[in-house]
Amino acid sequence: MDALGLLRPAASVSGLPAAHVPHAASGFALGDHAGRAPAAPAEGPGVVASASSGPLQRRFEPYQNNGGTVLAVAGKDFCVVASDTRLGLGYSIPSRKVSRILKMTDKVVLASSGMQADMMTLHKTLRMRLVKYQQNHQKDMSLTAASQMLSNMLYTRRFFPYYTFNVLGGIDEKGEGWAYGYDAIGSHEKVSAVCSGTGQTLIQPVLDNQIEFKQQWGAPKVDLSLEATVELIRDAFTSAGERDIYTGDYVEICKITKDGVEVEEFQLKFD
């Protein structure tokens, strides 16, 4: 079939080195009548060749974890949502001041950790849906409705999920504070305290013990005040920042009450 000029593996044509032959970079050249061995396959980023120079495998990784720790703690008539501001990438810190907080209404706040690009896309979509809801119903979305909407949005992307781990907190129609914890595909739980992100394993046990009084057998459960809750969150983030390289720099603390959302900033270590 060489007379038809079909592409064949070749190291040289007419005595020329393979480097000077068209298509040699891909391991093919116009008919090699000498029947020489094929050229070595191309090498470069994303190309994995076997020891026998067989088929190539190209990989694409769409996700990356930019770290961050988010939490929500609910009280009798308030809720506190907090997040650190460090944006991590491997062992580097591209930014020390990235907000992971989305104020959905005057009584509902969302915090997201994980991949920064997916978090920004999720927050942008949520803003559009909140505006549409407000225009259609002439009122802000309730905490219950917002929690279900977020779950539905995450679940519709279950085959290619947003790589985000979310906590939602706020005040419901009865004036009670509640927190919601989510996984990447929308499964959620209504709780008193929840933490997600790279510092979860460091902070969640503290919240379980100090907010829900787990592992304190026989101890009376006492509702913490708003000031005591904020102080506990500061201590938790300070401790997590000492052991988690993706948690640090600053903490945004959103205090949600019947009067609205008040935001304060707490500085952590920069190293």
Side-chain angles (χ1 to χ4, degrees):
M1 301 301 292
D2 293 339
L4 299 179
L6 296 179
L7 294 178
R8 292 171 53 87
S12 64
V13 174
S14 302
L16 294 177
H20 301 287
V21 179
H23 309 293
S26 61
F28 290 91
L30 292 177
D32 179 14
H33 299 282
R36 294 177 175 85
E43 296 182 358
V47 178
V48 180
S50 65
S52 60
S53 298
L56 302 181
Q57 179 182 2
R58 300 182 185 274
R59 298 174 181 172
F60 170 62
E61 176 53 59
Y63 294 123
Q64 66 182 16
N65 191 349
N66 296 120
T69 302
V70 295
L71 64 81
V73 178
K76 186 176 182 180
D77 57 355
F78 67 87
C79 186
V80 181
V81 178
S83 167
D84 76 309
T85 63
R86 175 173 294 180
L87 176 66
L89 183 61
Y91 290 105
S92 63
I93 303 176
S95 177
R96 296 183 183 275
K97 206 71 180 296
V98 172
S99 178
R100 296 184 171 89
I101 300 288
L102 172 64
K103 179 184 174 183
M104 299 179 69
T105 71
D106 287 338
K107 295 184 179 180
V108 182
V109 173
L110 171 70
S112 308
S113 65
M115 184 174 175
Q116 178 70 8
D118 280 0
M119 183 204 76
M120 294 178 66
T121 303
L122 176 63
H123 286 192
K124 180 179 70 174
T125 307
L126 282 168
R127 288 191 190 97
M128 292 188 294
R129 294 202 177 187
L130 289 167
V131 170
K132 185 177 180 180
Y133 182 94
Q134 201 280 335
Q135 292 175 344
N136 289 339
H137 300 279
Q138 298 301 309
K139 65 177 183 178
D140 289 333
M141 190 175 291
S142 66
L143 175 62
T144 304
S147 66
Q148 188 62 54
M149 180 185 69
L150 176 58
S151 176
N152 293 345
M153 286 182 59
L154 295 173
Y155 187 71
T156 57
R157 289 289 302 267
R158 62 192 178 279
F159 298 116
F160 194 6
Y162 289 118
Y163 192 48
T164 59
F165 305 95
N166 305 278
V167 299
L168 183 75
I171 305 297
D172 65 9
E173 297 88 339
K174 300 178 181 178
E176 299 175 350
W178 286 104
Y180 294 82
Y182 293 78
D183 67 5
I185 59 172
S187 296
H188 63 291
E189 183 182 11
K190 186 177 182 180
V191 293
S192 298
V194 62
C195 178
S196 190
T198 54
Q200 179 187 32
T201 55
L202 300 171
I203 295 181
Q204 188 64 56
V206 177
L207 300 181
D208 290 342
N209 184 267
Q210 295 297 307
I211 301 297
E212 299 189 3
F213 286 81
K214 295 182 178 179
Q215 295 85 43
Q216 294 193 40
W217 295 279
K221 186 174 180 179
V222 179
D223 293 330
L224 296 182
S225 65
L226 175 59
E227 293 74 19
T229 301
V230 171
E231 193 63 32
L232 174 63
I233 290 173
R234 289 174 179 169
D235 292 341
F237 269 101
T238 300
S239 179
E242 295 289 340
R243 291 181 176 269
D244 177 25
I245 63 173
Y246 296 109
T247 300
D249 299 320
Y250 298 93
V251 179
E252 285 184 302
I253 302 176
C254 298
K255 296 177 284 188
I256 311 165
T257 63
K258 58 182 179 59
D259 299 323
V261 180
E262 179 184 349
V263 181
E264 71 173 56
E265 191 174 82
F266 176 66
Q267 183 174 328
L268 301 176
K269 294 175 65 176
F270 283 2
D271 56 1

